[in-house]
Amino acid sequence: MQRYSPSLAFLLIDENVLEPERLTGLANACAVFFRMKRLEDPLALVTLVDELDRLLPEERHTGLRLALVDWLYDDYLPSHQLNIGDEMERTTSLAEVKTMLAEGTPDWFAHERNKGRLEGRVEGRLEGEARVLKRLLAQRFGSSLPAWVDQRLQGADEVELERLADAVLNAGSLEAVFAEQR
């Protein structure tokens, strides 16, 4: 039975230890693919898809090109929160994917940046409200507040912070301000 056992050779590539500088200098499809997976600036995706298109001639790599297009549509683009449903009709060509990305990418990322800015503003406003509330609590109940007060304020959303701010005015003790949370 020994002679019927498959003998396989393989090359293990640990993508977690690949150095980005070395990948940039290599002109092969694997290096481009790993650069794409580690891409920090998704706007550069257009350039990498173009490189793959040049490195994988259609007549010799039809199956691989189709697999890459499927991976882009089904895995890569959705994992980067790109809404490709309406903007991008499904194609089977890397060249067409590159063209569609080049036309649509700035709009997609502008939307994501604006969403991130809005989330940052909300987070900053909540931090400011919590800081003011902490000052009010310190003035009303003593400057050395217990550590649990910071924890409660950090985890509070806008509604909770407003309720706590209202409670500061009428509560007889620090514990009474947080009574509904406990």
Side-chain angles (χ1 to χ4, degrees):
M1 296 300 279
Q2 182 78 18
R3 69 181 192 177
Y4 297 111
S5 295
S7 174
L8 304 173
F10 63 92
L11 172 63
L12 175 65
I13 301 174
D14 185 354
E15 66 181 282
N16 296 318
V17 297
L18 294 174
E19 298 168 4
E21 305 82 38
R22 287 193 62 208
L23 290 174
T24 303
L26 299 174
N28 68 55
C30 285
V32 174
F33 177 74
F34 288 125
R35 284 174 45 209
M36 193 179 292
K37 286 186 74 178
R38 298 176 115 194
L39 199 59
E40 290 186 25
D41 176 16
L43 291 172
L45 181 61
V46 176
T47 306
L48 294 177
V49 170
D50 185 47
E51 280 186 57
L52 283 174
D53 190 31
R54 283 186 289 110
L55 289 168
L56 300 169
E58 194 160 355
E59 58 278 353
R60 290 182 40 214
H61 299 286
T62 305
L64 180 56
R65 291 169 65 93
L66 289 172
L68 285 168
V69 169
D70 286 342
W71 174 77
L72 283 165
Y73 277 105
D74 298 334
D75 185 43
Y76 186 86
L77 296 174
S79 72
H80 286 80
Q81 288 80 39
L82 294 174
N83 182 6
I84 59 173
D86 296 334
E87 293 94 347
M88 206 166 156
E89 286 185 29
R90 189 139 185 152
T91 181
T92 58
S93 163
L94 277 176
E96 288 179 31
V97 169
K98 179 191 75 166
T99 302
M100 289 181 202
L101 285 171
E103 291 171 358
T105 302
D107 294 337
W108 295 333
F109 289 106
H111 170 71
E112 288 303 310
R113 279 192 298 269
N114 289 338
K115 188 170 112 182
R117 285 185 193 130
L118 180 61
E119 289 170 358
R121 279 191 216 126
V122 169
E123 189 175 309
R125 191 180 76 242
L126 290 177
E127 287 174 7
E129 288 178 15
R131 190 171 47 249
V132 169
L133 185 55
K134 184 176 177 183
R135 287 183 55 211
L136 291 173
L137 289 167
Q139 286 179 358
R140 181 115 199 301
F141 301 109
S143 60
S144 60
L145 297 172
W148 61 265
V149 170
D150 277 335
Q151 293 171 346
R152 298 283 175 98
L153 293 176
Q154 286 175 358
D157 62 11
E158 188 172 5
V159 173
E160 290 178 73
L161 289 172
E162 288 175 2
R163 186 194 65 75
L164 292 171
D166 293 341
V168 167
L169 299 174
N170 300 317
S173 68
L174 185 60
E175 288 76 17
V177 172
F178 292 91
E180 287 183 33
Q181 278 191 318
R182 287 187 167 193

